[in-house]
Amino acid sequence: MTKTAVPHFSGILGSDAFPIEAARYRLIWSEICPWSQRVAILRRLLGLEDIISEGKVNPVITEKGWQFSLDEGHRDPILDVDYVMAIYKKTDPNYPGRATIPVIVDVTTKKIVNNESQEIMQQIETNFTDFVKTDAPDLYPENLRTEIDALNAILLAEINQGVYKIKGAKTQADYEKYFHIFFNRLDQLEARLADSRFLFGDQLTDSDIRLYVSLARFDVAYYTTFRANRNRLIDFPNLWRYAKELYQMPAFRETTNFDAIKKGFALNNLEENPNQIVPLGPDTSIWDQ
């Protein structure tokens, strides 16, 4: 799940090559993966379920990669494939990399349009405006785009990828450097939310989705598995209030599966967890309080 360089499919949703049509596109994602969950949240917030269908893969990665083992017959019912890699090979028979998620697939060809979550999100936010539900929030308003882009760059480097830098540190010095960068940024976000409902006041934006997916995994995975253990999320009063408020929104809540997150992080690290023990805690019912 670490965001590493992979060959990039760069099709543009809403372009002449990929026009917006009902049920033409399919999002492939997993409940464990923060990069793909943010696209799943966006899709539901904007009410694009009839435009973009969804397929979910098992949170536990197999030797062959992401598998559609949650579906009957262990195959995606729309794309008729068993592994995400099959979609990559259909798109490019000589594809040299690993199959990552999220991917947006053109159902008419069963080939990948785009596999970069940042690009997918911006294409949906800017090219699907005529198709979103009438009461959908404007997640990328023109008057805030410069500020949103600047904050998103920080969130990416210091929070979304930052926590993986902590886990991947090879020396004590690097671990401590990334540890302090990560928690110093959380401290700043905690202060920012002291008198603000969301990251940009009362306006729910793209940035809130990006921060949420890391916060949702903090106490159940990052705190222990990644040694990001100075504080838990629940120890930050403002961040905790903020995360719980987002969780009450159906688009966030219905795409957040804490059991899948625990299972995936435990069983996708067999070198560190050879006995395949899935932790029971922490108690996630407190997200409803």
Side-chain angles (χ1 to χ4, degrees), residues 264-278:
F265 276 97
L267 301 183
N268 289 335
N269 292 280
L270 294 184
E271 290 183 3
E272 300 175 12
N273 184 20
N275 295 322
Q276 301 185 45
I277 296 172
V278 179

Side-chain angles (χ1 to χ4, degrees), residues 104-162:
I104 294 287
V105 182
D106 184 343
V107 174
T108 64
T109 62
K110 298 185 179 179
K111 294 182 179 181
I112 295 170
V113 178
N114 199 297
N115 65 338
E116 169 50 53
S117 62
Q118 161 71 14
E119 293 185 7
I120 293 170
M121 290 182 74
Q122 290 205 338
Q123 289 172 20
I124 291 175
E125 288 165 345
T126 56
N127 297 345
F128 282 64
T129 53
D130 291 340
F131 298 85
V132 302
K133 62 183 180 180
T134 55
D135 59 345
D138 185 355
L139 298 167
Y140 196 51
E142 290 191 21
N143 65 311
L144 289 176
R145 287 184 183 179
T146 299
E147 295 176 66
I148 289 172
D149 290 345
L151 180 56
N152 285 352
I154 292 171
L155 294 176
L156 175 64
E158 299 184 5
I159 300 297
N160 305 139
Q161 289 182 339

Side-chain angles (χ1 to χ4, degrees), residues 2 161-180 225-228 272:
T2 306
Q161 289 182 339
V163 73
Y164 285 91
K165 294 174 185 176
I166 295 173
K167 181 181 186 297
K170 301 301 183 183
T171 67
Q172 183 70 28
D174 280 347
Y175 166 71
E176 293 182 8
K177 177 179 73 173
Y178 296 131
F179 183 98
H180 292 309
T225 305
F226 286 17
R227 298 185 295 275
E272 300 175 12

Side-chain angles (χ1 to χ4, degrees), residues 61-97:
I61 305 172
T62 73
E63 292 182 355
K64 295 182 179 179
W66 298 105
Q67 184 181 20
F68 290 99
S69 55
L70 303 177
D71 293 301
E72 184 177 353
H74 292 190
R75 299 184 74 83
D76 181 89
I78 302 298
L79 303 176
D80 192 28
V81 293
D82 49 0
Y83 290 91
V84 174
M85 180 58 80
I87 308 171
Y88 276 76
K89 290 296 187 180
K90 171 76 171 178
T91 308
D92 178 3
N94 298 314
Y95 180 76

